[in-house]
Each structure stands twice: as C-alpha cells, then as structure tokens.
Amino acid sequence: GVGPRDASPDEGVVEDLPLIDEKAVEQLTEGLISHYLPDLQRSKSALQELTQNQVVLLETLEQEISKFRECNSILDINALFSEAKHYHNKLVSIRNEMMMLHEKTSKLKVSGRNI
C-alpha cells in the first residue's frame, strides 16, 4: 500500500508560497531599471567615445609609423649614395694610377728603344 513515506517531498509546498503580485513585480522591475539605466547609458556613451578616440589614436600611430619607415628608407638611400660615392672615388684613383703606370711603361719602352 501507499504509506506516508511514499508521498512526494514537494507535495504541499506550492500551497505554502505566497501569491505573487504581478503588478508589484512590474513596479519593482521598473524601479530597478530606472535606478540603473541612466548610469548604464552614461557608461555606454563614455565607452563609445573612448572606442572612437582609440580608433583615431590608432590611425594617427599608423601614420607616424609609416613616416618613420619612410625616414629609415631615406637614411638607407643616403647610406647607399655615400657608399657609391666612396667606390666611385676608388675607381677614379685606380684609373689615374693605371694611366700613370701606362705612361711610365710607355716611357720605358721608348727609352728602351733608344738604348
């Protein structure tokens, strides 16, 4: 048979709960929302402004980085030109030395014939 132990433990609990007043819940909800909503909206607009400022800052940083890259490439080009000038000067001095050696050998050949 069915004894007292077989009864559901939740039986009778529903009857013990007080009746929920829907209007009171609605009013409490509205009160809670009206209390927190202005602060949340201010926080939202502050975060949006912060995000926009960050975007502007990032774009500015990217522009500055590209300027630095251009400066570095200009420095590289300047170094390349100074190196080219250095090697050009070396070539000119080698050419002059070869011309001088050529003159000396020509004179030696001429003087060797005269002997």
Side-chain angles (χ1 to χ4, degrees):
V2 176
R5 292 182 200 164
D6 294 337
S8 170
D10 294 334
E11 197 173 303
V13 172
V14 175
E15 295 161 11
D16 294 343
L17 288 175
L19 289 174
I20 298 171
D21 185 356
E22 295 292 330
K23 187 157 180 87
V25 171
E26 192 177 316
Q27 287 175 340
L28 285 169
T29 305
E30 285 177 13
L32 192 67
I33 289 174
S34 67
H35 179 72
Y36 287 108
L37 193 61
D39 285 340
L40 289 172
Q41 285 174 331
R42 279 194 292 274
S43 297
K44 180 183 176 183
S45 65
L47 284 172
Q48 284 174 334
E49 187 179 341
L50 183 64
T51 304
Q52 288 170 347
N53 289 341
Q54 284 180 331
V55 168
V56 170
L57 184 62
L58 283 173
E59 288 173 355
T60 307
L61 278 173
E62 284 173 7
Q63 290 171 0
E64 292 301 313
I65 288 170
S66 67
K67 285 180 190 174
F68 278 118
R69 284 193 183 128
E70 286 173 19
C71 286
N72 280 340
S73 62
I74 288 171
L75 288 174
D76 289 345
I77 290 170
N78 285 339
L80 195 63
F81 275 120
S82 67
E83 196 175 345
K85 186 177 180 183
H86 170 73
Y87 283 115
H88 174 74
N89 290 340
K90 272 189 164 186
L91 283 172
V92 168
S93 71
I94 289 171
R95 184 174 143 252
N96 290 340
E97 197 173 328
M98 287 178 72
M99 287 173 61
M100 188 180 71
L101 287 171
H102 178 69
E103 282 179 34
K104 283 185 179 180
T105 54
S106 298
K107 286 180 184 175
L108 282 174
K109 284 180 185 177
V110 169
S111 67
R113 286 185 197 151
N114 292 340
I115 296 178

